[in-house]
Amino acid sequence: MYRATYLSLACLLVIGNAFAATPSPVASLLAEYQGEAGGQFSAAAGKQLWNQNFKADQAPIERSCASCHTADPSGTGKHVKTGKPIAPLAPSVNNKRLSDIGEIRKWLRRNCNWTLGRECSAQEKGDLLSYLNTL
């Protein structure tokens, strides 16, 4: 009886440690982008990039991340072209955000191309994720 209890507790500890050791999707991507960028990431640079206006090739107006997501990513945004509401991007307000590596990659690719007119560099991605992860 005691042996089964101790064995169960040991299994729970091992399983708990395995989950605790799993890095978050943001931490995994930051480590990947760090290897590509080589420099340190900056939440301040990410915030600046977030609010910076860009003139994409086909865009009739300048765009920024804040154009759709608002200057405060903890608020509800609205797509400037379609008018579709966009749920808050800040993980502190919306726990589904920045929780899936595939979704993060997909939206960084789409939104960088749409906003900047090109793919974001590893440095830009790391700065943006660092900024969003502080919210």
Side-chain angles (χ1 to χ4, degrees):
M1 173 90 174
Y2 291 115
R3 184 175 276 180
T5 302
Y6 288 124
L7 183 59
S8 296
L9 286 173
C11 287
L12 286 174
L13 286 172
V14 169
I15 291 170
N17 286 338
F19 283 115
T22 303
S24 74
V26 171
S28 295
L29 284 173
L30 286 173
E32 177 185 325
Y33 297 147
Q34 184 70 50
E36 294 173 29
Q40 295 297 314
F41 297 130
S42 163
K47 183 177 183 178
Q48 182 178 4
L49 182 62
W50 182 264
N51 292 295
Q52 183 177 342
N53 286 316
F54 296 90
K55 179 83 167 114
D57 293 338
Q58 303 93 349
I61 59 170
E62 289 187 340
R63 299 179 186 152
S64 69
C65 301
S67 297
C68 293
H69 292 282
T70 76
D72 177 8
S74 63
T76 300
K78 181 175 151 182
H79 195 281
V80 296
K81 187 174 180 181
T82 66
K84 178 183 172 186
I86 300 172
L89 196 54
S92 61
V93 177
N94 184 349
N95 64 359
K96 292 181 182 178
R97 294 300 195 159
L98 305 182
S99 62
D100 179 86
I101 288 178
E103 287 291 305
I104 296 169
R105 286 183 202 274
K106 175 179 91 174
W107 288 108
L108 278 173
R109 184 180 59 253
R110 283 186 187 180
N111 289 341
C112 286
N113 282 324
W114 195 77
T115 304
L116 282 68
R118 61 174 172 79
E119 189 169 338
C120 287
S121 68
Q123 183 70 47
E124 290 166 329
K125 291 175 189 177
D127 289 342
L128 281 170
L129 285 176
S130 295
Y131 167 59
L132 294 171
N133 209 37
T134 65
L135 304 174

